[in-house]
Amino acid sequence: RGMAEAEAGMRAVCARIGNVMFLQKQCVTIGDVMFAGCTLWTAPGDEADSTSINDYNNVRGFYAERRPITVPEVRALHADHLAWLRSTMARVPRAVRRVVVITHHCPTPELARMTRSGRAHPDVVPFYFAEDVEPRLLQDPLLAVWCHGHTHESYAVRLPGRGPQLFATNAAGYSFEDTGYDPKSVVTL
C-alpha cells in the first residue's frame, strides 16, 4: 500500500479501537493538555544519499510503481509537517495549559547523537534522524514535553539553551539492539 492508504488504514484501526488516536498532523486535548503529533520528516541536505539508509529504501508508495522515497520527496514532507507544527503551536486553544509534541524524528541534532549515557554517537548523520527545529518552537512556554523516536536510544533530558521542556524517547529499537527501552517508563507532566 501507499503512504496515504497506510495512514487511512491506521486511522480506521484506531477508530475501531476507540481509545487510540493516530496523530499524523492531528491533535487531541485531554483536560488542559494538548497532544500534537506528526512524523516531522527531516530535511536532508544535498549530500544525502537515499540509498544509504533503510528508511529511504523501505518507505514506498508515493507512486504506483512503489519505488523508494526520494530525498526531494522527504524535503517536501518535512516542509509540510514543519508548517503544520508551526501553525498548530501558533493557535493553541486558550483552555490548554501544556502541550506535548509527539514526533517520530527528533527535533534537534544534539538528541540524534545522544546516548542514554549522555555521550554522543560518533557515527550518526543527524539529517537522517533529526530536524533542527527553530528555537521559537522549542522555547514555546506551553511546550512541556517533546516525545520522539527514531534514534534507537532511550532517555529523558533537558537541553540547556533549548527551552525548559523535557525531551523524551523510549525506543525499543531492533531486536539485536540494547536501547535502554523500559516498558514501564512514564513521563509525568
Side-chain angles (χ1 to χ4, degrees):
R1 294 191 302 183
M3 190 178 297
E5 293 86 7
E7 289 179 4
M10 286 185 260
R11 282 191 178 89
V13 167
C14 290
R16 282 195 304 274
I17 294 170
N19 64 347
V20 177
M21 288 195 67
F22 176 55
L23 294 179
Q24 180 66 300
K25 294 177 25 182
Q26 290 191 322
C27 298
V28 63
T29 300
I30 301 172
D32 65 354
V33 180
M34 183 176 84
F35 297 84
C38 66
T39 302
L40 187 62
W41 291 86
T42 61
D46 292 335
E47 69 277 22
D49 174 10
S50 63
T51 63
S52 66
I53 188 164
N54 283 337
D55 294 13
Y56 285 65
N57 293 310
N58 293 324
V59 176
R60 297 174 183 265
F62 278 106
Y63 301 100
E65 66 268 20
R66 319 274 288 163
R67 62 170 172 69
I69 194 169
T70 66
V71 170
E73 289 164 340
V74 170
R75 285 185 192 135
L77 285 167
H78 160 75
D80 178 54
H81 286 219
L82 188 56
W84 177 85
L85 193 54
R86 282 183 190 130
S87 172
T88 298
M89 293 302 291
R91 57 179 173 75
V92 173
R94 288 182 188 225
V96 168
R97 298 289 174 241
R98 293 168 292 179
V99 175
V100 175
V101 173
I102 305 164
T103 60
H104 177 70
H105 291 93
C106 61
T108 73
E110 297 101 314
L111 293 169
R113 293 185 188 101
M114 187 173 291
T115 65
R116 63 186 177 281
S117 67
R119 293 188 314 269
H121 273 296
D123 57 345
V124 167
V125 182
F127 59 74
Y128 288 130
F129 297 93
E131 176 51 39
D132 199 5
V133 173
E134 64 258 21
R136 71 183 171 109
L137 279 177
L138 294 177
Q139 295 171 354
D140 188 297
L142 293 179
L143 182 59
V145 180
W146 192 306
C147 297
H148 68 86
H150 201 68
T151 61
H152 296 230
E153 288 289 343
S154 297
Y155 50 76
V157 298
R158 286 178 170 50
L159 296 177
R162 291 290 195 163
Q165 76 285 344
L166 185 68
F167 295 96
T169 182
N170 189 29
Y174 297 118
S175 60
F176 57 85
E177 293 178 306
D178 177 16
T179 65
Y181 172 70
D182 179 358
K184 296 178 183 174
S185 178
V186 174
V187 174
T188 303
L189 297 177

